[in-house]
Amino acid sequence: MRNPDYKVALIVPVYNEHETVETFVKTVNEKLAAEIEHIEIVFIDDGSSDNTVELIEKLQKNDKKISLIRLSRNFGKEAAMSAALDLVQSDAIVPIDVDLQDPPELVLEFIRIWRDEGIDTVYGVREDRSSDTNTKRVSSEGFYYVFNKMSGKVKIPSNVGDFRLIDRKIIDILKTLKERNRFMKALYAWPGFSSKGVGYTRPERVAGETKWNYWKLWNFALDGIFAFSSLPLKVWSYIGGFIGLLSLIYMTWNIFKTMIFGNPTAGYTTLICVILFLGAVQLISIGILGEYVGRLSQEVKGRPVYVAQSITGPLAKKIPQGISSTEVGIAYNSNENNVKKLTSKEEVKA
């Protein structure tokens, strides 16, 4: 059984979502009325250029459970989620989309399973994705299949996104991870512990347009694969060996043919095809190697994954004043009466 005074924070990354913010808060208050005393809402603004921040600040005046972490620029959704993991101090968190494609009412079932059954991670399974295009559904299922085949011991459930409830002990483990290339779906699964899925039908966006396109999704998929698998590197040894074997067979055949039939003029087309094929294989292998080297470069530099320029709402009272740093980010929490700069990790409350 959990602490009866538990707090669950809804983690809501936003980027130019002025059409949906007010509707989201209204829906949460209506659908989660049975648990509203245990609920916090933490928006993470990922460098919005519209009036999203102004709308959230307006909502904060009338709703004291709303906090806002404002990043200094657009760092990406994974960075925004990392900021929430670092700074939010609730007993559990629920990453949820502001467009209401993640039904807030399902959070009640998440909380019940977490509280009464002691499950550490409760995730939503998209059983019906009819609101998505056929291309997106097929590519998504293909990615989950490929990732789970390549990632070794870290598996992510199919048709599961960020929408889930995560217990505090898992959050504390995730906060110790120092990697800069952060594929959150797999990181959630990496610590292990008990988990359970809850099926739901994924509805359409309540308003606005998605900020994801197929190019971004493609690069997102590559980040996940390269972060959790070295198979793309290893496979080129086998490809090279196979091509070497074919070359040996072809060379043996040509020697035998020359000894028996003489040495006629070699074909130009065959030569060009072999050169182009081997050149393409070499370029692809170098490209794969470059993907890993580029990510290693980011890790070695150790630049912060995010920079939070301000924190407002109830959360601000729980965060040390001034500049504080975690394993992967930097946050600035100001107070007109008391600003204290932290200079060592011992002073920082993770």
Side-chain angles (χ1 to χ4, degrees):
M1 295 293 291
R2 308 291 180 180
N3 182 347
D5 296 326
Y6 61 84
K7 282 292 184 181
V8 175
L10 303 185
I11 304 304
V12 194
V14 290
Y15 176 64
N16 293 340
E17 292 284 1
H18 67 277
E19 303 101 330
T20 57
V21 167
E22 292 180 301
T23 304
F24 173 82
V25 173
K26 180 180 178 182
T27 304
V28 166
N29 287 332
E30 292 174 355
K31 300 293 185 179
L32 301 184
E35 290 282 343
I36 205 67
E37 63 178 318
H38 299 290
I39 299 295
E40 300 174 322
I41 301 177
V42 181
F43 288 101
I44 307 96
D45 177 67
D46 191 23
S48 296
S49 57
D50 60 3
N51 63 334
T52 298
V53 171
E54 288 75 11
L55 287 174
I56 295 173
E57 291 174 341
K58 178 182 176 182
L59 291 169
Q60 283 182 304
K61 295 178 181 178
N62 300 318
D63 196 330
K64 302 304 181 183
K65 66 178 178 295
I66 297 177
S67 296
L68 171 63
I69 301 172
R70 189 176 180 186
L71 303 188
S72 59
R73 62 170 175 84
N74 180 247
F75 286 89
K77 184 178 180 181
E78 306 300 276
M81 291 303 306
S82 297
L85 289 172
D86 281 347
L87 301 174
V88 174
Q89 300 180 15
S90 301
D91 299 292
I93 67 169
V94 179
I96 184 171
D97 288 343
V98 73
D99 57 18
L100 295 177
Q101 285 194 286
D102 298 333
E105 59 269 24
L106 198 63
V107 175
L108 295 175
E109 181 65 9
F110 287 179
I111 293 175
R112 186 196 67 77
I113 294 173
W114 168 75
R115 181 191 59 209
D116 299 339
E117 300 181 21
I119 302 297
D120 298 308
T121 299
V122 187
Y123 52 83
V125 181
R126 301 165 182 172
E127 294 181 336
D128 184 351
R129 301 187 62 172
S130 56
S131 62
D132 294 333
T133 64
N134 290 330
T135 302
K136 187 172 182 180
R137 288 199 297 270
V138 171
S139 60
S140 175
E141 291 173 2
F143 166 74
Y144 284 112
Y145 177 81
V146 171
F147 180 89
N148 287 329
K149 286 294 184 182
M150 298 177 64
S151 62
K153 297 181 180 180
V154 178
K155 306 294 183 183
I156 55 177
S158 182
N159 289 316
V160 174
D162 291 322
F163 187 38
R164 66 189 68 207
L165 183 147
I166 308 171
D167 185 70
R168 166 52 54 185
K169 63 172 170 283
I170 297 179
I171 298 170
D172 289 340
I173 293 171
L174 293 175
K175 287 167 63 175
T176 65
L177 304 183
K178 301 178 182 181
E179 58 200 83
R180 266 60 189 171
N181 180 29
R182 303 176 73 80
F183 182 63
M184 298 308 299
K185 291 181 180 63
L187 287 181
Y188 295 146
W190 182 83
F193 295 98
S194 59
S195 62
K196 184 175 183 179
V198 178
Y200 72 100
T201 298
R202 186 168 170 82
E204 296 182 359
R205 285 180 63 98
V206 68
E209 297 181 357
T210 179
K211 306 306 181 293
W212 292 92
N213 54 42
Y214 286 110
W215 178 247
K216 289 183 178 180
L217 289 171
W218 167 254
N219 285 286
F220 184 60
L222 291 181
D223 284 340
I225 291 172
F226 290 136
F228 281 87
S229 175
S230 60
L231 184 60
L233 281 176
K234 295 177 182 178
V235 73
W236 290 103
S237 299
Y238 298 99
I239 291 176
F242 178 69
I243 293 175
L245 178 62
L246 291 180
S247 300
L248 179 61
I249 295 172
Y250 184 68
M251 180 181 66
T252 303
W253 163 248
N254 275 284
I255 292 173
F256 175 76
K257 186 174 66 171
T258 300
M259 292 175 64
I260 302 298
F261 302 105
N263 185 23
T265 303
Y268 173 78
T269 302
T270 302
L271 181 63
I272 290 299
C273 288
V274 170
I275 291 174
L276 291 177
F277 174 73
L278 292 178
V281 169
Q282 289 175 339
L283 290 175
I284 292 172
S285 61
I286 291 172
I288 295 293
L289 183 62
E291 292 285 351
Y292 281 96
V293 171
R295 286 165 173 78
L296 284 174
S297 175
Q298 292 179 356
E299 298 294 336
V300 170
K301 291 175 183 175
R303 292 174 181 167
V305 172
Y306 68 87
V307 176
Q309 70 177 32
S310 65
I311 304 169
T312 57
L315 181 61
K317 300 177 183 178
K318 304 175 184 179
I319 305 298
Q321 296 297 316
I323 297 177
S324 58
S325 62
T326 64
E327 294 289 354
V328 295
I330 296 174
Y332 184 73
N333 185 24
S334 63
N335 186 302
E336 294 180 356
N337 299 321
N338 178 29
V339 175
K340 177 184 177 183
K341 291 188 176 181
L342 305 180
T343 57
S344 66
K345 287 189 177 180
E346 287 74 14
E347 296 178 82
V348 178
K349 295 180 181 179

